[in-house]
């Protein structure tokens, strides 16, 4: 994610949770709020780009331990105030430079992050993430389906195939935000040969891609 997008999310932090208030998303959200913690129960979880900690609050009570990271201090400050996160270790970290000092984990989770990874950096992101995980670890990526385009249509497509939205913040500023919608084939190809049990579940508003690193 570019520095411009990093600043956009720092500025957007106080109003970010509006994405979880959209009426049409509620049924799917309730199901995911039950399902994701179950998937990650009992594991040492590394969360990438945790933002305001929406998913952190549900995963934390069931995880053996959880380290939740984000590049921006603003959303992290809000995440720390969520109920149920008392045992969570929060850390400022760049998703493309997850340092060894964060520890070793047997699961990873990233919510609404992968769509912001440029196509040409997907491999780099996943290699860096996998370096923090033990063999056999479970990885769960959750993101928006194209239903999100009803509110935020695509404005541009670049030469690499990345798609971009123009988003407006309450102060009227307009931000060019990279938002990709990877296909099933692209997701599976990214982990071919390094993962087992790769599975994509597509709902109306969210997709969930999960796999296990080869042991
Ligand atoms: C769409 S939000 C997702 C927040 C949260 N995971 C959720 O599902 O609600 C994207 C988050 O990525 C963070 N971010 C942007 N660039 C980043 C980077 N290079 N490394 C880690 N986090 C980054 C932003 O600060 C923002 O909190």
């Amino acid at each position: 994610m570019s520095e411009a997008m990093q600043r956009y999310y720092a500025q957007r932090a106080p109003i970010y949770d509006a994405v979880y208030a959209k009426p049409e998303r509620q049924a799917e959200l309730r199901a995911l709020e039950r399902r994701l913690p179950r998937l990650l129960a009992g594991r040492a979880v590394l969360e990438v780009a945790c933002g305001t900690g929406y998913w952190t609050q549900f995963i934390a009570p069931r995880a053996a331990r959880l380290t939740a990271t984000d590049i921006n201090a603003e959303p992290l400050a809000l995440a720390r105030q969520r109920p149920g996160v008392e045992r969570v270790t929060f850390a400022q970290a760049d998703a493309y430079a997850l340092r060894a000092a964060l520890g070793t984990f047997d699961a990873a989770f990233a919510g609404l992050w992968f769509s912001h990874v440029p196509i040409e950096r997907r491999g780099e992101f996943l290699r860096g993430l996998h370096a923090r995980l033990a063999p056999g670890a479970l990885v769960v990526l959750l993101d928006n389906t194209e239903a999100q385009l009803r509110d935020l249509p695509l404005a541009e497509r670049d030469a690499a195939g990345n798609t971009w939205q123009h988003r407006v913040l309450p102060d009227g500023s307009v931000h060019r935000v990279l938002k990709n919608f990877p296909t099933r084939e692209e997701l599976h190809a990214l982990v071919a040969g390094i993962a087992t049990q790769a599975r994509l579940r597509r709902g109306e508003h969210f997709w969930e891609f999960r796999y296990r690193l080869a042991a």
Side-chain angles (χ1 to χ4, degrees), residues 1-2 5-6 9-10 12 16 19-20 47-55 69-72 75 93-96 109-113 116 179:
M1 197 183 261
S2 66
M5 272 209 284
Q6 182 184 329
Y9 275 109
R12 188 180 155 199
Y16 178 78
V19 299
Y20 294 113
E47 184 178 359
V48 175
C50 69
T52 62
Y54 186 82
W55 297 107
T69 62
D70 197 281
I71 204 163
N72 278 314
D94 183 346
Y96 299 104
F109 172 74
L112 282 57
W113 159 251
H116 294 301
K179 183 82 177 174

Side-chain angles (χ1 to χ4, degrees), residues 38-200:
R38 256 198 328 258
L39 280 176
L40 296 162
R43 291 181 175 270
V45 183
L46 174 61
E47 184 178 359
V48 175
C50 69
T52 62
Y54 186 82
W55 297 107
T56 319
Q57 68 184 328
F58 299 110
I59 296 167
R62 300 285 301 275
R65 63 183 164 88
L66 172 56
T67 295
T69 62
D70 197 281
I71 204 163
N72 278 314
E74 292 84 347
L76 277 173
L78 296 170
R80 285 190 174 93
Q81 292 168 29
R82 296 274 189 190
V85 301
E86 298 74 15
R87 293 188 304 123
V88 175
T89 301
F90 288 100
Q92 221 168 333
D94 183 346
Y96 299 104
L98 296 166
R99 52 194 183 274
L102 290 167
T104 300
F105 303 84
D106 64 6
F109 172 74
L112 282 57
W113 159 251
F114 195 73
S115 54
H116 294 301
V117 175
I119 292 168
E120 62 276 19
R121 296 194 78 181
R122 284 174 178 168
E124 173 193 351
F125 163 62
L126 290 178
R127 276 191 299 279
L129 178 66
H130 296 166
R132 301 282 70 84
L133 302 178
L138 173 69
V139 178
V140 183
L141 304 176
L142 174 78
D143 225 303
N144 297 106
T145 63
E146 289 81 352
Q148 191 254 16
L149 297 172
R150 293 175 204 152
D151 296 333
L152 292 163
L154 294 179
E156 301 170 48
R157 182 181 298 270
D158 67 22
N162 296 294
T163 47
W164 299 77
Q165 297 172 328
H166 292 175
R167 299 187 182 179
V168 184
L169 285 175
D171 67 359
S173 56
V174 180
H175 302 257
R176 187 172 171 263
V177 175
L178 184 152
K179 183 82 177 174
N180 284 324
F181 298 87
T183 64
R184 176 182 295 273
E185 291 71 29
E186 285 172 344
L187 290 169
H188 281 280
L190 278 166
V191 300
I194 57 166
T196 59
Q197 301 171 37
R199 172 135 195 247
L200 177 70

